Amino acid sequence: QQQVKQSPQSLIVQKGGIPIINCAYENTAFDYFPWYQQFPGKGPALLIAIRPDVSEKKEGRFTISFNKSAKQFSLHIMDSQPGDSATYFCAASITSGSRLTFGEGTQLTVNP
Amino acid sequence: NAGVMQNPRHLVRRRGQEARLRCSPMKGHSHVYWYRQLPEEGLKFMVYLQKENIIDESGMPKERFSAEFPKEGPSILRIQQVVRGDSAAYFCASSPDRLEQYFGPGTRLTVT
């Protein structure tokens, strides 16, 4: 019940495309959903996060869509660039506990 | 404001030796988390600490692993009698409010 399932495992898009990465969770107690970006040899960097009281949040070219009834959330990257090529992780936590449960990661490649 | 600092960045230990990993949180952050990332896998929670207290150690192996966050100085993750299966990247994250977690660059441990 603590799992977060992420798909796809890998994704290749052309520059300017809109990659979409999906995550699903089971534990309805989760109330905080961040996305992280990780480049090879680096630590994960917090991109954007959402709470379940909103259905969408946008920051720059990154948008999270959240569907509470389906227990799913997704990351959209608008106007993707080669510099966006990285591994993306979704995560979830219960704020009272605060440990993050991560998805398995999506390796995104944006071709020029 | 400097980010989360971890050292060493790379650590090589022979089987049976001890590994000490250090983490200095961001200024003003009193919550520290340790995660482990095995090759080609996502991040797994290990332990959550506040100053001088272990809050949640449910993800940490019962034997050989210990963590502390003293009143003064960095948080330490200690692995005694390392085995090859301990080879991984160990990431520390800090938070000001138990919600947003900011990750350090990681320590890559190799056990030979």
Side-chain angles (χ1 to χ4, degrees):
Chain A
Q1 211 186 18
Q2 291 294 322
Q3 279 188 316
V4 175
K5 294 231 177 265
Q6 183 172 344
S7 63
Q9 192 173 6
S10 63
L11 185 55
I12 301 174
V13 300
Q14 292 298 121
K15 178 183 173 183
I18 306 176
I20 301 172
I21 305 170
N22 301 297
C23 285
Y25 63 97
E26 296 176 357
N27 189 348
T28 54
F30 285 144
D31 59 1
Y32 175 69
F33 303 89
W35 284 89
Y36 285 85
Q37 178 190 58
Q38 186 178 30
F39 293 104
K42 305 292 184 185
L46 180 61
L47 266 181
I48 185 173
I50 198 168
R51 303 295 295 267
D53 52 346
V54 297
S55 60
E56 186 174 280
K57 184 175 180 181
K58 185 179 292 188
E59 283 185 7
R61 295 185 294 108
F62 300 95
T63 299
I64 300 180
S65 297
F66 187 83
N67 185 328
K68 188 174 180 179
S69 60
K71 293 186 285 186
Q72 294 176 348
F73 57 109
S74 59
L75 177 70
H76 302 228
I77 306 175
M78 311 302 286
D79 187 27
S80 58
Q81 302 296 313
D84 295 329
S85 297
T87 300
Y88 292 81
F89 292 96
C90 64
S93 71
I94 305 168
T95 50
S96 59
S98 80
R99 57 183 289 180
L100 287 170
T101 299
F102 281 87
E104 300 90 345
T106 296
Q107 191 167 350
L108 172 67
T109 302
V110 182
N111 289 325
Chain B
N1 191 2
V4 177
M5 298 174 66
Q6 289 188 249
N7 64 80
R9 295 292 309 276
H10 299 274
L11 183 61
V12 180
R13 284 288 178 264
R14 290 201 179 98
R15 277 182 301 169
Q17 291 185 319
E18 178 179 287
R20 280 185 180 237
L21 288 61
R22 287 177 290 278
C23 168
S24 296
M26 291 176 70
K27 188 176 180 181
H29 290 195
S30 61
H31 305 269
V32 166
Y33 308 80
W34 286 92
Y35 294 83
R36 177 164 64 175
Q37 186 174 36
L38 293 168
E40 308 300 325
E41 291 189 14
L43 294 102
K44 305 294 184 190
F45 168 81
M46 297 182 74
V47 62
Y48 162 34
L49 310 103
Q50 281 186 274
K51 283 289 187 182
E52 301 185 274
N53 290 304
I54 296 174
I55 308 300
D56 179 0
E57 58 181 346
S58 58
M60 202 145 73
K62 294 286 185 283
E63 296 179 356
R64 303 187 298 108
F65 285 73
S66 62
E68 62 177 12
F69 188 16
K71 189 176 179 181
E72 301 290 337
S75 175
I76 306 285
L77 179 68
R78 183 181 177 208
I79 311 172
Q80 295 178 289
Q81 299 175 309
V82 295
V83 300
R84 287 221 173 97
D86 297 333
S87 294
Y90 291 83
F91 291 97
C92 165
S94 73
S95 175
D97 57 9
R98 299 201 315 177
L99 199 59
E100 294 184 345
Q101 294 185 26
Y102 298 90
F103 282 77
T107 294
R108 274 124 189 109
L109 172 66
T110 301
V111 179
T112 61

